[in-house]
């Protein structure tokens, strides 16, 4: 009789990716001696043994790797295509504003892209401290309310010559043109945002062609100059052909404008560069894409007889999605309805940790068990045990279930790809859905080749209650540490007065 081998998690990964069980699984996860490593250096199993779960692991050297890799690919693409102008890597800070993320990207050489007032105020502070060096561009996108325009003026008047307001609306011009120091302006092309009809909502940004003409005239009549053309297509664009085809019309618009505006020098394609963080089987030929982009721009510019522009990409997801992970524990298993996958109840909230599971249709994350790769598989869905919300599940009902090793509880899962947008959308340091406390955080940064770490404990209940306006309730709260009581009756002389009287 032929005995059918029970499929294990290791078999599944081997089938999906060809991974032999040891070595590099993706460009951010590896496995050695049966233990998972982040960035090939940080042992996640050891962290789970030491700190338990839930734990957020923030590994900033991955950001450095991302930036360096893209800059190298761009250099190779420039060499291959003989592209005559520079390539500039900007970090779209909206993806993750955490100081360690922003500062690591800057240290790796990134320029800065802002989306709102607060963002620019941070940039101004970093610029003053020299953390954002004075040769870096600061591209200011987004709709500019008065405070944002004021922040741009302040930065420029403080001496920063590289701040570039990218006009999102003609109404922004008046205040900005009144800035006494010369400003370098950009215009954002509105049509690029939804040229293919696949990105509704993206076409609310930027100027129509007629508005661009008006902006060009008004800037030409001033002591300022127009230097940048911005054309953003979308986010996580995994189809390189589509990405390039959609940009083509914008490159032609750039060229036509460049024929009349000799100060134009940057073509900024915005975000959209995909991250590998969401799927194990992800593949995108970044260098191939950049080579094709440069060749396309070079050729179109030659047709229009204008110099090829310096290129800017604003990398959000690509920069930070892969630098952090959540470790969560399957605390209990609940049977699914007949014929349906079982529930693995984890000690966290999926809708708080992974809000894109709700907002982005079909959003996926890479989930790997830290142990038990040789145990049989079962189809499951995860559910957050720290909320009682029926939406607190992943994968969503319309998605295929996960296949994970069997467990009765205690299995720890690493959820990757969470470093971009998730925490910014869910918020950090606040009161969350069902008062789910934020997980403890273990942050690793690299300084002079050495990894330094710091541990931030799990958010405590007293903090959450204070945020919600509750007065301290000492008797109702679990105490972090209780002294053993020597005697239940203290003599009146030894009793602290304030406690007896109940007043401070
Ligand atoms: C103007 C602009 N640039 C860059 C980005 C970053 O996009 P991504 O995360 O796809 O890289 C965004 C994202 O919304 C954006 O609005």
């Amino acid at each position: 009789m032929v005995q059918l081998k029970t499929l294990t998690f290791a078999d599944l990964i081997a089938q999906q990716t060809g991974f032999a069980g040891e070595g590099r699984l993706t460009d951010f996860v590896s496995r050695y001696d049966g233990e998972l490593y982040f960035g090939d250096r940080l042992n996640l199993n050891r962290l789970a043994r030491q700190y338990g779960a839930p734990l957020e692991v923030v590994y900033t050297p991955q950001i450095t790797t991302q930036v360096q890799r893209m800059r190298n690919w761009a250099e190779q693409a420039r060499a291959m295509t003989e592209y005559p102008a520079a390539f500039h890597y900007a970090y779209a800070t909206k993806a993750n504003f955490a100081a360690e993320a922003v500062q690591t990207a800057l240290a790796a050489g990134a320029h800065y892209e802002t989306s709102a007032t607060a963002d620019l105020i941070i940039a101004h502070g970093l610029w003053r401290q020299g953390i954002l060096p004075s040769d870096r561009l600061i591209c200011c996108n987004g709709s500019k309310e008065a405070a944002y325009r004021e922040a741009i003026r302040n930065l420029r008047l403080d001496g920063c010559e590289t701040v570039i307001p990218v006009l999102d609306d003609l109404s922004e011009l008046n205040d900005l043109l009144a800035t006494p120091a010369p400003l370098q302006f950009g215009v954002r092309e509105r049509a690029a945002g939804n040229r293919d009809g696949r990105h509704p909502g993206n076409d609310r940004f930027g100027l129509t062609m007629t508005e661009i003409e008006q902006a060009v005239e008004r800037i030409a009549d001033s002591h300022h100059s127009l230097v940048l053309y911005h054309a953003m297509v979308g986010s996580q664009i995994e189809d390189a052909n589509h990405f390039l085809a959609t940009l083509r019309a914008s490159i032609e618009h750039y060229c036509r404008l460049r024929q009349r505006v000799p100060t134009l020098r940057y073509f900024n394609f915005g975000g959209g560069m995909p991250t590998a963080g969401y799927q194990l089987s992800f593949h995108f030929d970044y260098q191939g894409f950049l080579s094709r982009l440069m060749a396309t721009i070079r050729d179109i510019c030659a047709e229009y007889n204008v110099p090829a522009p310096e290129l800017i990409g604003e990398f959000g997801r690509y920069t930070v999605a892969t630098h952090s992970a959540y470790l969560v524990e399957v605390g209990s298993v609940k049977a699914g309805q007949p014929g349906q996958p079982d529930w693995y109840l984890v000690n966290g909230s999926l809708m708080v940790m992974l809000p894109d599971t709700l907002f982005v249709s079909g959003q996926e994350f890479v989930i790997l068990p830290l142990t038990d790769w040789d145990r049989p598989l079962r189809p499951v869905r995860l559910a957050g045990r720290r909320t009682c919300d029926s939406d607190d599940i992943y994968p969503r009902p319309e998605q295929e279930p996960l296949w994970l090793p069997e467990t009765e509880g205690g299995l720890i899962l690493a959820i990757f790809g969470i470093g971009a947008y998730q925490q910014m959308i869910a918020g950090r340091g606040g009161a969350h859905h069902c008062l789910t406390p934020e997980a403890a955080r273990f942050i690793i940064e690299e300084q002079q080749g050495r990894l330094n770490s710091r541990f931030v404990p799990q958010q405590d209940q007293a903090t959450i209650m204070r945020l919600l306006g509750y007065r301290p309730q000492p008797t109702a709260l679990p105490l972090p540490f209780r002294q053993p009581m020597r005697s239940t009756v203290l003599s009146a002389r030894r009793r602290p007065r304030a406690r007896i009287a109940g007043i401070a």
Side-chain angles (χ1 to χ4, degrees), residues 234-284:
S235 200
Q236 189 68 13
I237 309 174
E238 298 179 12
D239 177 348
N241 291 334
H242 167 70
F243 204 164
L244 284 168
T246 316
L247 279 175
R248 218 186 150 82
S250 303
I251 298 162
E252 289 177 349
H253 287 308
Y254 169 89
C255 290
R256 280 196 280 275
L257 202 56
R258 175 63 182 79
Q259 288 174 329
R260 287 179 292 124
V261 183
T263 50
L264 258 187
R265 59 187 277 210
Y266 301 112
F267 180 82
N268 183 336
F269 61 86
M273 196 62 82
T275 169
Y278 304 142
Q279 276 181 342
L280 280 181
S281 54
F282 173 86
H283 177 73
F284 187 83

CSV table of all heavy atoms in Angstrom, one decimal, residues 234-284:
chain,number,residue,atom,x,y,z
A,234,GLY,N,0.6,55.6,-9.4
A,234,GLY,CA,-0.1,54.8,-8.4
A,234,GLY,C,0.9,54.2,-7.4
A,234,GLY,O,2.0,54.6,-7.3
A,235,SER,N,0.4,53.1,-6.7
A,235,SER,CA,1.3,52.5,-5.7
A,235,SER,C,1.3,51.0,-5.9
A,235,SER,O,0.4,50.4,-6.5
A,235,SER,CB,0.6,52.8,-4.3
A,235,SER,OG,1.6,52.6,-3.3
A,236,GLN,N,2.4,50.4,-5.5
A,236,GLN,CA,2.7,48.9,-5.6
A,236,GLN,C,2.3,48.5,-7.1
A,236,GLN,O,1.4,47.6,-7.3
A,236,GLN,CB,1.8,48.2,-4.6
A,236,GLN,CG,2.1,46.7,-4.5
A,236,GLN,CD,3.5,46.4,-3.9
A,236,GLN,OE1,4.2,47.2,-3.4
A,236,GLN,NE2,4.0,45.1,-4.1
A,237,ILE,N,3.0,49.1,-8.0
A,237,ILE,CA,2.7,48.8,-9.4
A,237,ILE,C,3.7,47.6,-9.8
A,237,ILE,O,4.8,47.8,-10.1
A,237,ILE,CB,2.9,50.0,-10.4
A,237,ILE,CG1,2.1,51.2,-9.8
A,237,ILE,CG2,2.5,49.7,-11.8
A,237,ILE,CD1,2.4,52.5,-10.5
A,238,GLU,N,3.1,46.4,-9.9
A,238,GLU,CA,3.9,45.2,-10.1
A,238,GLU,C,4.1,44.9,-11.6
A,238,GLU,O,4.9,44.1,-12.0
A,238,GLU,CB,3.4,44.0,-9.4
A,238,GLU,CG,3.3,44.3,-7.9
A,238,GLU,CD,2.7,43.2,-7.0
A,238,GLU,OE1,2.6,42.1,-7.6
A,238,GLU,OE2,2.5,43.4,-5.9
A,239,ASP,N,3.3,45.6,-12.4
A,239,ASP,CA,3.4,45.3,-13.9
A,239,ASP,C,4.3,46.4,-14.5
A,239,ASP,O,3.8,47.6,-14.8
A,239,ASP,CB,2.0,45.4,-14.4
A,239,ASP,CG,1.9,45.2,-15.9
A,239,ASP,OD1,2.9,45.2,-16.6
A,239,ASP,OD2,0.8,44.9,-16.4
A,240,ALA,N,5.5,46.1,-14.8
A,240,ALA,CA,6.5,47.1,-15.3
A,240,ALA,C,6.0,47.7,-16.7
A,240,ALA,O,6.2,48.9,-16.9
A,240,ALA,CB,7.9,46.5,-15.5
A,241,ASN,N,5.4,46.8,-17.5
A,241,ASN,CA,5.0,47.3,-18.8
A,241,ASN,C,3.9,48.4,-18.6
A,241,ASN,O,3.9,49.4,-19.3
A,241,ASN,CB,4.3,46.2,-19.7
A,241,ASN,CG,5.4,45.2,-20.1
A,241,ASN,OD1,6.6,45.6,-20.2
A,241,ASN,ND2,5.0,44.0,-20.3
A,242,HIS,N,3.0,48.1,-17.7
A,242,HIS,CA,1.9,49.1,-17.5
A,242,HIS,C,2.5,50.4,-16.9
A,242,HIS,O,2.1,51.5,-17.3
A,242,HIS,CB,0.9,48.4,-16.5
A,242,HIS,CG,0.0,49.4,-15.9
A,242,HIS,ND1,-1.0,50.0,-16.7
A,242,HIS,CD2,-0.2,49.9,-14.7
A,242,HIS,CE1,-1.7,50.8,-15.9
A,242,HIS,NE2,-1.2,50.7,-14.7
A,243,PHE,N,3.4,50.2,-15.9
A,243,PHE,CA,4.0,51.4,-15.3
A,243,PHE,C,4.7,52.3,-16.4
A,243,PHE,O,4.4,53.5,-16.4
A,243,PHE,CB,5.1,50.9,-14.3
A,243,PHE,CG,5.5,51.8,-13.2
A,243,PHE,CD1,6.2,51.3,-12.1
A,243,PHE,CD2,5.1,53.1,-13.2
A,243,PHE,CE1,6.6,52.1,-11.0
A,243,PHE,CE2,5.5,54.0,-12.1
A,243,PHE,CZ,6.2,53.5,-11.0
A,244,LEU,N,5.4,51.7,-17.3
A,244,LEU,CA,6.1,52.4,-18.3
A,244,LEU,C,5.2,53.1,-19.3
A,244,LEU,O,5.3,54.2,-19.6
A,244,LEU,CB,7.1,51.5,-19.0
A,244,LEU,CG,8.4,51.2,-18.3
A,244,LEU,CD1,9.1,50.1,-19.0
A,244,LEU,CD2,9.3,52.4,-18.2
A,245,ALA,N,4.2,52.3,-19.7
A,245,ALA,CA,3.3,52.8,-20.7
A,245,ALA,C,2.5,54.0,-20.2
A,245,ALA,O,2.2,54.9,-20.9
A,245,ALA,CB,2.3,51.6,-21.1
A,246,THR,N,2.2,53.9,-18.9
A,246,THR,CA,1.4,55.0,-18.3
A,246,THR,C,2.2,56.2,-18.1
A,246,THR,O,1.7,57.4,-18.2
A,246,THR,CB,0.8,54.5,-16.9
A,246,THR,OG1,0.3,53.2,-17.1
A,246,THR,CG2,-0.3,55.4,-16.5
A,247,LEU,N,3.5,56.1,-17.9
A,247,LEU,CA,4.4,57.2,-17.7
A,247,LEU,C,4.7,57.9,-19.0
A,247,LEU,O,5.0,59.1,-19.1
A,247,LEU,CB,5.7,56.8,-17.1
A,247,LEU,CG,5.7,56.7,-15.5
A,247,LEU,CD1,7.0,56.1,-15.1
A,247,LEU,CD2,5.4,58.0,-14.9
A,248,ARG,N,4.6,57.2,-20.1
A,248,ARG,CA,5.0,57.7,-21.4
A,248,ARG,C,4.4,59.1,-21.8
A,248,ARG,O,5.1,60.0,-22.2
A,248,ARG,CB,4.6,56.7,-22.5
A,248,ARG,CG,5.6,56.5,-23.6
A,248,ARG,CD,5.1,55.6,-24.7
A,248,ARG,NE,5.8,56.1,-25.9
A,248,ARG,CZ,7.0,55.8,-26.2
A,248,ARG,NH1,7.7,55.0,-25.5
A,248,ARG,NH2,7.6,56.4,-27.2
A,249,ALA,N,3.1,59.1,-21.6
A,249,ALA,CA,2.4,60.4,-22.0
A,249,ALA,C,2.9,61.5,-21.1
A,249,ALA,O,3.1,62.7,-21.6
A,249,ALA,CB,0.9,60.2,-21.8
A,250,SER,N,3.2,61.3,-19.8
A,250,SER,CA,3.7,62.3,-19.0
A,250,SER,C,5.1,62.8,-19.4
A,250,SER,O,5.4,64.0,-19.3
A,250,SER,CB,3.8,61.8,-17.5
A,250,SER,OG,2.5,61.4,-17.1
A,251,ILE,N,5.9,61.8,-19.9
A,251,ILE,CA,7.3,62.2,-20.3
A,251,ILE,C,7.1,63.1,-21.6
A,251,ILE,O,7.9,64.1,-21.7
A,251,ILE,CB,8.1,60.9,-20.7
A,251,ILE,CG1,8.2,60.1,-19.4
A,251,ILE,CG2,9.4,61.3,-21.2
A,251,ILE,CD1,8.6,58.6,-19.7
A,252,GLU,N,6.2,62.8,-22.4
A,252,GLU,CA,6.0,63.7,-23.6
A,252,GLU,C,5.5,65.1,-23.2
A,252,GLU,O,6.0,66.1,-23.7
A,252,GLU,CB,5.0,63.0,-24.5
A,252,GLU,CG,5.6,61.8,-25.2
A,252,GLU,CD,4.6,61.1,-26.1
A,252,GLU,OE1,3.4,61.4,-26.1
A,252,GLU,OE2,5.1,60.2,-26.9
A,253,HIS,N,4.6,65.1,-22.2
A,253,HIS,CA,4.2,66.5,-21.7
A,253,HIS,C,5.4,67.2,-21.1
A,253,HIS,O,5.6,68.4,-21.3
A,253,HIS,CB,3.2,66.3,-20.6
A,253,HIS,CG,1.8,65.9,-21.1
A,253,HIS,ND1,1.2,66.6,-22.1
A,253,HIS,CD2,1.0,64.9,-20.7
A,253,HIS,CE1,0.0,66.0,-22.4
A,253,HIS,NE2,-0.1,65.0,-21.5
A,254,TYR,N,6.3,66.5,-20.4
A,254,TYR,CA,7.5,67.1,-19.8
A,254,TYR,C,8.3,67.7,-20.9
A,254,TYR,O,8.7,68.9,-20.9
A,254,TYR,CB,8.3,66.1,-19.0
A,254,TYR,CG,9.7,66.6,-18.7
A,254,TYR,CD1,9.9,67.3,-17.5
A,254,TYR,CD2,10.8,66.5,-19.6
A,254,TYR,CE1,11.2,67.9,-17.2
A,254,TYR,CE2,12.0,67.0,-19.3
A,254,TYR,CZ,12.2,67.7,-18.1
A,254,TYR,OH,13.4,68.3,-17.8
A,255,CYS,N,8.5,66.9,-22.0
A,255,CYS,CA,9.3,67.4,-23.1
A,255,CYS,C,8.8,68.7,-23.8
A,255,CYS,O,9.5,69.6,-24.1
A,255,CYS,CB,9.5,66.3,-24.1
A,255,CYS,SG,10.5,64.9,-23.5
A,256,ARG,N,7.4,68.6,-24.0
A,256,ARG,CA,6.8,69.8,-24.6
A,256,ARG,C,7.0,71.1,-23.7
A,256,ARG,O,7.3,72.1,-24.2
A,256,ARG,CB,5.3,69.6,-24.9
A,256,ARG,CG,5.1,68.7,-26.1
A,256,ARG,CD,3.7,68.8,-26.6
A,256,ARG,NE,2.8,67.9,-25.8
A,256,ARG,CZ,2.7,66.6,-26.1
A,256,ARG,NH1,3.3,66.0,-27.1
A,256,ARG,NH2,1.9,65.9,-25.3
A,257,LEU,N,6.9,70.8,-22.4
A,257,LEU,CA,7.1,72.0,-21.5
A,257,LEU,C,8.5,72.4,-21.5
A,257,LEU,O,8.8,73.6,-21.4
A,257,LEU,CB,6.6,71.5,-20.1
A,257,LEU,CG,6.2,72.6,-19.1
A,257,LEU,CD1,5.1,73.5,-19.7
A,257,LEU,CD2,5.7,72.0,-17.8
A,258,ARG,N,9.4,71.4,-21.5
A,258,ARG,CA,10.8,71.7,-21.4
A,258,ARG,C,11.3,72.6,-22.6
A,258,ARG,O,12.2,73.4,-22.5
A,258,ARG,CB,11.6,70.4,-21.3
A,258,ARG,CG,13.1,70.6,-21.3
A,258,ARG,CD,13.6,71.3,-20.1
A,258,ARG,NE,15.1,71.5,-20.2
A,258,ARG,CZ,15.7,72.4,-20.9
A,258,ARG,NH1,15.0,73.2,-21.7
A,258,ARG,NH2,17.0,72.5,-20.9
A,259,GLN,N,10.6,72.4,-23.8
A,259,GLN,CA,11.0,73.2,-24.9
A,259,GLN,C,10.8,74.7,-24.7
A,259,GLN,O,11.5,75.5,-25.3
A,259,GLN,CB,10.1,72.8,-26.2
A,259,GLN,CG,10.5,71.4,-26.7
A,259,GLN,CD,9.6,70.9,-27.8
A,259,GLN,OE1,8.4,71.2,-27.8
A,259,GLN,NE2,10.2,70.1,-28.7
A,260,ARG,N,9.9,75.0,-23.8
A,260,ARG,CA,9.6,76.4,-23.5
A,260,ARG,C,10.2,76.9,-22.2
A,260,ARG,O,10.3,78.1,-21.9
A,260,ARG,CB,8.1,76.7,-23.5
A,260,ARG,CG,7.5,76.6,-24.9
A,260,ARG,CD,6.0,76.8,-24.9
A,260,ARG,NE,5.3,75.7,-24.3
A,260,ARG,CZ,4.5,75.8,-23.2
A,260,ARG,NH1,4.3,77.0,-22.7
A,260,ARG,NH2,3.9,74.8,-22.7
A,261,VAL,N,10.5,75.9,-21.3
A,261,VAL,CA,10.9,76.3,-19.9
A,261,VAL,C,12.3,75.7,-19.6
A,261,VAL,O,12.4,74.6,-19.2
A,261,VAL,CB,9.9,75.8,-18.8
A,261,VAL,CG1,10.3,76.3,-17.4
A,261,VAL,CG2,8.5,76.2,-19.2
A,262,PRO,N,13.3,76.5,-19.9
A,262,PRO,CA,14.7,75.9,-19.9
A,262,PRO,C,15.1,75.6,-18.4
A,262,PRO,O,16.1,74.8,-18.2
A,262,PRO,CB,15.6,77.0,-20.5
A,262,PRO,CG,14.7,78.2,-20.6
A,262,PRO,CD,13.3,77.8,-20.5
A,263,THR,N,14.4,76.1,-17.4
A,263,THR,CA,14.8,75.8,-16.0
A,263,THR,C,14.3,74.4,-15.6
A,263,THR,O,14.8,73.9,-14.6
A,263,THR,CB,14.2,76.9,-15.0
A,263,THR,OG1,12.8,77.0,-15.3
A,263,THR,CG2,14.9,78.2,-15.2
A,264,LEU,N,13.4,73.8,-16.3
A,264,LEU,CA,12.9,72.5,-16.0
A,264,LEU,C,14.1,71.5,-16.0
A,264,LEU,O,14.8,71.4,-17.1
A,264,LEU,CB,11.9,72.0,-16.9
A,264,LEU,CG,10.4,72.1,-16.6
A,264,LEU,CD1,9.6,71.4,-17.6
A,264,LEU,CD2,10.1,71.4,-15.2
A,265,ARG,N,14.3,70.8,-14.9
A,265,ARG,CA,15.4,69.8,-15.0
A,265,ARG,C,15.1,68.5,-14.3
A,265,ARG,O,15.9,67.5,-14.5
A,265,ARG,CB,16.6,70.4,-14.3
A,265,ARG,CG,16.4,70.8,-12.9
A,265,ARG,CD,17.6,71.6,-12.3
A,265,ARG,NE,18.7,70.7,-11.9
A,265,ARG,CZ,19.5,71.0,-10.9
A,265,ARG,NH1,19.4,72.1,-10.3
A,265,ARG,NH2,20.4,70.1,-10.5
A,266,TYR,N,14.0,68.4,-13.6
A,266,TYR,CA,13.7,67.1,-12.9
A,266,TYR,C,12.4,66.5,-13.5
A,266,TYR,O,11.4,67.2,-13.6
A,266,TYR,CB,13.4,67.3,-11.4
A,266,TYR,CG,14.6,67.9,-10.6
A,266,TYR,CD1,14.5,69.2,-10.1
A,266,TYR,CD2,15.8,67.2,-10.4
A,266,TYR,CE1,15.5,69.7,-9.4
A,266,TYR,CE2,16.8,67.7,-9.7
A,266,TYR,CZ,16.7,69.0,-9.2
A,266,TYR,OH,17.7,69.6,-8.4
A,267,PHE,N,12.4,65.2,-13.7
A,267,PHE,CA,11.2,64.5,-14.0
A,267,PHE,C,11.0,63.5,-12.8
A,267,PHE,O,11.8,62.7,-12.5
A,267,PHE,CB,11.2,63.7,-15.3
A,267,PHE,CG,9.9,62.9,-15.5
A,267,PHE,CD1,8.9,63.6,-16.1
A,267,PHE,CD2,9.8,61.6,-15.2
A,267,PHE,CE1,7.7,62.9,-16.4
A,267,PHE,CE2,8.6,60.9,-15.4
A,267,PHE,CZ,7.6,61.6,-16.0
A,268,ASN,N,9.9,63.7,-12.0
A,268,ASN,CA,9.6,63.0,-10.8
A,268,ASN,C,8.5,62.0,-11.0
A,268,ASN,O,7.3,62.5,-11.3
A,268,ASN,CB,9.3,64.0,-9.7
A,268,ASN,CG,9.1,63.4,-8.3
A,268,ASN,OD1,8.8,62.2,-8.3
A,268,ASN,ND2,9.3,64.1,-7.3
A,269,PHE,N,8.7,60.7,-11.0
A,269,PHE,CA,7.7,59.8,-11.2
A,269,PHE,C,6.9,59.3,-10.0
A,269,PHE,O,6.1,58.4,-10.0
A,269,PHE,CB,8.1,58.5,-12.1
A,269,PHE,CG,9.2,57.7,-11.4
A,269,PHE,CD1,8.9,56.7,-10.5
A,269,PHE,CD2,10.6,58.0,-11.7
A,269,PHE,CE1,9.9,55.9,-9.9
A,269,PHE,CE2,11.6,57.2,-11.1
A,269,PHE,CZ,11.2,56.2,-10.2
A,270,GLY,N,7.3,60.0,-8.8
A,270,GLY,CA,6.5,59.7,-7.6
A,270,GLY,C,6.7,58.4,-7.0
A,270,GLY,O,7.8,57.8,-7.1
A,271,GLY,N,5.7,57.8,-6.4
A,271,GLY,CA,5.8,56.5,-5.8
A,271,GLY,C,5.4,55.4,-6.8
A,271,GLY,O,5.4,55.6,-8.0
A,272,GLY,N,5.1,54.2,-6.3
A,272,GLY,CA,4.6,53.2,-7.2
A,272,GLY,C,5.6,52.0,-7.2
A,272,GLY,O,5.2,50.9,-7.6
A,273,MET,N,6.8,52.2,-6.8
A,273,MET,CA,7.8,51.1,-6.9
A,273,MET,C,7.3,50.0,-5.9
A,273,MET,O,7.1,50.3,-4.8
A,273,MET,CB,9.2,51.6,-6.6
A,273,MET,CG,10.3,50.7,-7.0
A,273,MET,SD,10.4,50.5,-8.8
A,273,MET,CE,11.3,51.9,-9.3
A,274,PRO,N,7.2,48.8,-6.4
A,274,PRO,CA,6.6,47.8,-5.6
A,274,PRO,C,7.6,47.2,-4.5
A,274,PRO,O,8.8,47.3,-4.8
A,274,PRO,CB,6.2,46.7,-6.6
A,274,PRO,CG,7.2,46.9,-7.7
A,274,PRO,CD,7.5,48.3,-7.8
A,275,THR,N,7.1,46.8,-3.4
A,275,THR,CA,7.9,46.1,-2.4
A,275,THR,C,7.7,44.6,-2.5
A,275,THR,O,6.7,44.1,-2.9
A,275,THR,CB,7.5,46.5,-1.0
A,275,THR,OG1,8.1,45.7,0.0
A,275,THR,CG2,6.0,46.4,-0.8
A,276,ALA,N,8.8,43.9,-2.1
A,276,ALA,CA,8.7,42.4,-2.1
A,276,ALA,C,8.0,41.9,-0.8
A,276,ALA,O,7.9,40.7,-0.6
A,276,ALA,CB,10.1,41.9,-2.1
A,277,GLY,N,7.6,42.9,0.0
A,277,GLY,CA,7.2,42.5,1.4
A,277,GLY,C,5.8,41.8,1.5
A,277,GLY,O,5.5,41.2,2.6
A,278,TYR,N,5.1,41.7,0.4
A,278,TYR,CA,3.7,41.1,0.6
A,278,TYR,C,3.5,39.7,0.1
A,278,TYR,O,2.5,39.1,0.4
A,278,TYR,CB,2.7,42.0,-0.1
A,278,TYR,CG,2.7,43.5,0.3
A,278,TYR,CD1,2.6,44.5,-0.6
A,278,TYR,CD2,3.0,43.8,1.7
A,278,TYR,CE1,2.6,45.9,-0.2
A,278,TYR,CE2,3.0,45.2,2.1
A,278,TYR,CZ,2.8,46.2,1.1
A,278,TYR,OH,2.9,47.5,1.5
A,279,GLN,N,4.5,39.2,-0.7
A,279,GLN,CA,4.3,37.9,-1.2
A,279,GLN,C,5.7,37.2,-1.4
A,279,GLN,O,6.6,37.8,-1.9
A,279,GLN,CB,3.8,38.0,-2.7
A,279,GLN,CG,2.3,38.1,-2.7
A,279,GLN,CD,1.8,38.2,-4.1
A,279,GLN,OE1,2.5,38.5,-5.1
A,279,GLN,NE2,0.5,38.0,-4.3
A,280,LEU,N,5.7,35.9,-0.9
A,280,LEU,CA,7.0,35.2,-1.0
A,280,LEU,C,7.4,35.0,-2.5
A,280,LEU,O,8.6,35.0,-2.7
A,280,LEU,CB,6.8,33.8,-0.4
A,280,LEU,CG,6.9,33.8,1.2
A,280,LEU,CD1,6.7,32.3,1.6
A,280,LEU,CD2,8.2,34.4,1.7
A,281,SER,N,6.5,34.9,-3.4
A,281,SER,CA,6.8,34.6,-4.7
A,281,SER,C,7.0,35.8,-5.6
A,281,SER,O,7.1,35.8,-6.8
A,281,SER,CB,5.7,33.7,-5.4
A,281,SER,OG,4.5,34.3,-5.2
A,282,PHE,N,7.1,37.0,-4.9
A,282,PHE,CA,7.2,38.3,-5.6
A,282,PHE,C,8.4,38.3,-6.5
A,282,PHE,O,9.5,37.9,-6.0
A,282,PHE,CB,7.2,39.4,-4.6
A,282,PHE,CG,7.4,40.8,-5.2
A,282,PHE,CD1,6.4,41.5,-5.7
A,282,PHE,CD2,8.7,41.3,-5.3
A,282,PHE,CE1,6.6,42.7,-6.3
A,282,PHE,CE2,8.9,42.5,-5.8
A,282,PHE,CZ,7.9,43.3,-6.3
A,283,HIS,N,8.3,38.8,-7.7
A,283,HIS,CA,9.5,39.1,-8.5
A,283,HIS,C,9.3,40.4,-9.3
A,283,HIS,O,8.2,40.5,-9.9
A,283,HIS,CB,9.8,38.0,-9.4
A,283,HIS,CG,11.0,38.3,-10.3
A,283,HIS,ND1,12.3,38.3,-9.8
A,283,HIS,CD2,11.1,38.6,-11.6
A,283,HIS,CE1,13.1,38.7,-10.7
A,283,HIS,NE2,12.4,38.9,-11.8
A,284,PHE,N,10.2,41.3,-9.2
A,284,PHE,CA,10.1,42.5,-10.1
A,284,PHE,C,11.6,42.8,-10.4
A,284,PHE,O,12.5,42.9,-9.6
A,284,PHE,CB,9.5,43.6,-9.3
A,284,PHE,CG,9.3,44.9,-10.1
A,284,PHE,CD1,8.1,45.0,-10.9
A,284,PHE,CD2,10.2,45.9,-10.1
A,284,PHE,CE1,7.9,46.2,-11.6
A,284,PHE,CE2,10.0,47.1,-10.8
A,284,PHE,CZ,8.8,47.2,-11.6
